[in-house]
Amino acid sequence: MTWNITRTRTRVALATAGILLTAAPTAYATLGGSLGSALGGSLGGPGRDETREAPAPVRGAAFVETRLLFGTERPDGGPAVTAAQFTNFVDREVTPSFPDGLTVQEGRGQWRDAGGTIEKERSYELILLYPAREARASDRKIEEIRADYRKAFAQEAVARVDDRKRVDF
């Protein structure tokens, strides 16, 4: 009886090893890697070449991308911010602080105001790119822009999204 159990265990172990040796390289190749590199060495043996795709070159410098989202409806029921008013705001408040360039996109958005009402409104997205080494100084300027817009147009908020990027011009 012991001999049958040992023989059965040996067969199961050999079958499992055979499946792993056959399936694992296929699985790793499908995932873009290799079993040898995953295990810290080459399983290919002599005459078998493991090729890897070279990593893409890193381009550009470290930048921060800040997106500001401006609503145009006024919570107090006053007239909505017009395109001319927004353009004048950007020219007067944003461009002097970020003269190297910016992007403005017009869109439609919605958000839940302080009273719980979902407000749907015309909106603007302002995109700023600046070197990461200037992040501290830019942060102060951006917070001033947000505060100035909230005050000038009676807004509850101006959303801000920051992300690190690599940028090449």
Side-chain angles (χ1 to χ4, degrees), residues 61-83:
F63 270 67
V64 176
E65 176 186 59
T66 296
R67 295 184 296 134
L68 299 178
L69 306 171
F70 299 89
T72 57
E73 296 296 321
R74 297 180 196 233
D76 63 5
V81 179
T82 66

Side-chain angles (χ1 to χ4, degrees), residues 95-129:
T95 300
S97 294
F98 296 93
D100 292 340
L102 54 90
T103 299
V104 174
Q105 297 181 27
E106 189 172 352
R108 303 259 341 136
Q110 70 180 43
W111 79 301
R112 187 181 309 268
D113 68 14
T117 303
I118 294 178
E119 300 287 344
K120 295 181 180 184
E121 61 188 334
R122 187 172 42 84
S123 60
Y124 293 96
E125 178 183 32
L126 173 71
I127 303 170
L128 302 168
L129 291 170

Side-chain angles (χ1 to χ4, degrees), residues 49 61 140 150:
D49 180 37
R140 182 180 37 78
R150 284 191 304 264

Side-chain angles (χ1 to χ4, degrees), residues 30-48:
T30 303
L31 296 173
S34 71
L35 179 60
S37 62
L39 298 177
S42 173
L43 296 179
R48 185 143 179 206

